[in-house]
Short mmCIF file of all heavy atoms in Angstrom, two decimals:
data_model
loop_
_atom_site.label_atom_id
_atom_site.label_comp_id
_atom_site.label_asym_id
_atom_site.label_seq_id
_atom_site.Cartn_x
_atom_site.Cartn_y
_atom_site.Cartn_z
N ALA A 2 1.99 1.23 0.73
CA ALA A 2 2.85 2.41 0.79
C ALA A 2 3.48 2.70 -0.57
O ALA A 2 3.71 3.85 -0.92
CB ALA A 2 3.93 2.21 1.84
N ASN A 4 2.13 2.22 -3.49
CA ASN A 4 1.12 2.89 -4.31
C ASN A 4 0.98 4.35 -3.91
O ASN A 4 0.83 5.22 -4.76
CB ASN A 4 -0.23 2.18 -4.19
CG ASN A 4 -0.21 0.83 -4.88
OD1 ASN A 4 0.60 0.60 -5.78
ND2 ASN A 4 -1.08 -0.07 -4.45
N LYS A 7 3.89 6.24 -5.37
CA LYS A 7 3.72 6.46 -6.80
C LYS A 7 2.72 7.59 -7.07
O LYS A 7 2.94 8.43 -7.94
CB LYS A 7 3.23 5.18 -7.49
CG LYS A 7 4.31 4.14 -7.64
CD LYS A 7 3.77 2.91 -8.37
CE LYS A 7 4.81 1.84 -8.50
NZ LYS A 7 4.30 0.63 -9.16
N VAL A 8 1.64 7.60 -6.31
CA VAL A 8 0.63 8.64 -6.47
C VAL A 8 1.23 10.00 -6.12
O VAL A 8 1.01 10.99 -6.82
CB VAL A 8 -0.62 8.34 -5.62
CG1 VAL A 8 -1.56 9.54 -5.57
CG2 VAL A 8 -1.34 7.12 -6.16
N VAL A 12 1.55 13.18 -8.62
CA VAL A 12 0.93 14.47 -8.31
C VAL A 12 1.97 15.59 -8.41
O VAL A 12 1.70 16.65 -8.97
CB VAL A 12 0.26 14.45 -6.92
CG1 VAL A 12 -0.12 15.84 -6.46
CG2 VAL A 12 -0.96 13.54 -6.94
N PRO A 25 5.65 30.04 -17.31
CA PRO A 25 7.05 29.66 -17.43
C PRO A 25 8.01 30.61 -16.71
O PRO A 25 9.02 30.19 -16.17
CB PRO A 25 7.32 29.67 -18.93
CG PRO A 25 6.02 29.82 -19.60
CD PRO A 25 5.03 30.27 -18.59
N ALA A 29 10.68 29.50 -13.88
CA ALA A 29 12.11 29.79 -13.95
C ALA A 29 12.59 30.44 -12.65
O ALA A 29 13.69 30.14 -12.17
CB ALA A 29 12.41 30.70 -15.13
N MET A 32 12.97 27.72 -10.11
CA MET A 32 14.18 26.94 -10.36
C MET A 32 15.42 27.70 -9.88
O MET A 32 16.32 27.12 -9.29
CB MET A 32 14.31 26.61 -11.85
CG MET A 32 13.28 25.62 -12.35
SD MET A 32 13.37 24.04 -11.50
CE MET A 32 14.95 23.47 -12.01
N ILE A 39 20.54 25.13 -3.25
CA ILE A 39 21.50 24.02 -3.36
C ILE A 39 22.92 24.56 -3.33
O ILE A 39 23.80 24.00 -2.65
CB ILE A 39 21.23 23.21 -4.64
CG1 ILE A 39 19.90 22.46 -4.53
CG2 ILE A 39 22.38 22.24 -4.92
CD1 ILE A 39 19.41 21.86 -5.83
N SER A 40 23.16 25.66 -4.03
CA SER A 40 24.48 26.27 -4.05
C SER A 40 24.90 26.74 -2.66
O SER A 40 26.04 26.53 -2.23
CB SER A 40 24.50 27.45 -5.03
OG SER A 40 25.71 28.15 -4.97
N ALA A 42 23.82 25.59 0.21
CA ALA A 42 24.05 24.42 1.05
C ALA A 42 25.41 23.79 0.76
O ALA A 42 26.14 23.41 1.68
CB ALA A 42 22.94 23.38 0.83
N ALA A 43 25.78 23.71 -0.51
CA ALA A 43 27.08 23.14 -0.87
C ALA A 43 28.21 24.03 -0.34
O ALA A 43 29.22 23.52 0.16
CB ALA A 43 27.19 22.99 -2.39
N ALA A 45 28.08 25.97 2.29
CA ALA A 45 28.12 25.80 3.74
C ALA A 45 28.81 24.48 4.12
O ALA A 45 29.59 24.45 5.08
CB ALA A 45 26.71 25.84 4.32
N ALA A 50 33.61 21.68 6.13
CA ALA A 50 34.69 20.72 5.91
C ALA A 50 36.05 21.41 6.08
O ALA A 50 36.97 20.84 6.66
CB ALA A 50 34.58 20.10 4.53
N TRP A 52 36.63 24.05 7.95
CA TRP A 52 36.76 24.31 9.39
C TRP A 52 37.21 23.05 10.13
O TRP A 52 38.10 23.13 10.97
CB TRP A 52 35.41 24.81 9.93
CG TRP A 52 35.38 25.05 11.40
CD1 TRP A 52 35.88 26.14 12.05
CD2 TRP A 52 34.80 24.21 12.39
NE1 TRP A 52 35.66 26.01 13.40
CE2 TRP A 52 34.98 24.84 13.63
CE3 TRP A 52 34.14 22.99 12.34
CZ2 TRP A 52 34.54 24.28 14.81
CZ3 TRP A 52 33.69 22.45 13.52
CH2 TRP A 52 33.90 23.08 14.75
N GLY A 57 39.05 22.79 13.62
CA GLY A 57 37.91 23.40 14.33
C GLY A 57 38.23 24.74 14.96
O GLY A 57 37.64 25.12 15.95
N LYS A 58 39.17 25.46 14.38
CA LYS A 58 39.55 26.76 14.94
C LYS A 58 38.79 27.88 14.30
O LYS A 58 38.50 27.92 13.19
CB LYS A 58 41.05 26.97 14.77
CG LYS A 58 41.86 25.95 15.52
CD LYS A 58 43.33 26.18 15.29
CE LYS A 58 44.12 25.10 16.00
NZ LYS A 58 45.53 25.20 15.78
#
Side-chain angles (χ1 to χ4, degrees):
N4 290 337
K7 285 182 182 179
V8 169
V12 168
M32 290 301 295
I39 291 169
S40 174
W52 178 78
K58 297 178 183 177

